[in-house]
Amino acid sequence: MWRLFLRQISLRRCGVVRDEAAFVGTLNTQQEERPWLWAVCMGSDNHVIFPALSHIRVVCTDGTPVRTLGSQGRELGELAGPCGLCVNSAGHVIVADTNNHRVQIFSCDGGFLSAFGSRGNFDGQFFEPCGVCVDGDDRIIVADTQNHRIQVFAADGTFLCTFGTDGGGGGQLKKPWGVCVNLGGNIIVA
């Protein structure tokens, strides 16, 4: 059986749906200081992971708190307005640390592992990255929102390539927010 966690931004909760499309219940997140959920994902340990204003929350599927990752700040391991997150094949939590203009990686038990990026518009730099995902080879794909592009990095944070420019034409992006990879390896941008 699988469960789908649906992000319900205005209600500050996640809806939980079983594999036969039956509504199971909600995972209430109203106690969080952020009035909406930007992202939600499942950890390798079946815990639900979502961003708060200054940290990442990890909870059981019934909402019982398990741990937090990061804390408010600008230093390594600290977060400022994290938006997107995902989990790679090793169970590491990869976070778009939006207001710090970087990506940070945490172990599944909450320890800081690494970070990459800084504010700017050169390759490997970000301006308010919001979405992040990994592909089948654990490459990290980042929606570099205010730079109107997508950047791709190796699992260790080494810059690989970028695509997109500001605009509404073919190959152009306007503040990409979300990013994911389908089973065919295609990058889908919202």
Side-chain angles (χ1 to χ4, degrees), residues 45-59:
D45 53 7
N46 262 351
H47 291 132
V48 180
I49 306 168
F50 59 90
L53 186 63
S54 61
H55 58 276
I56 302 299
R57 297 254 303 144
V58 181
V59 300

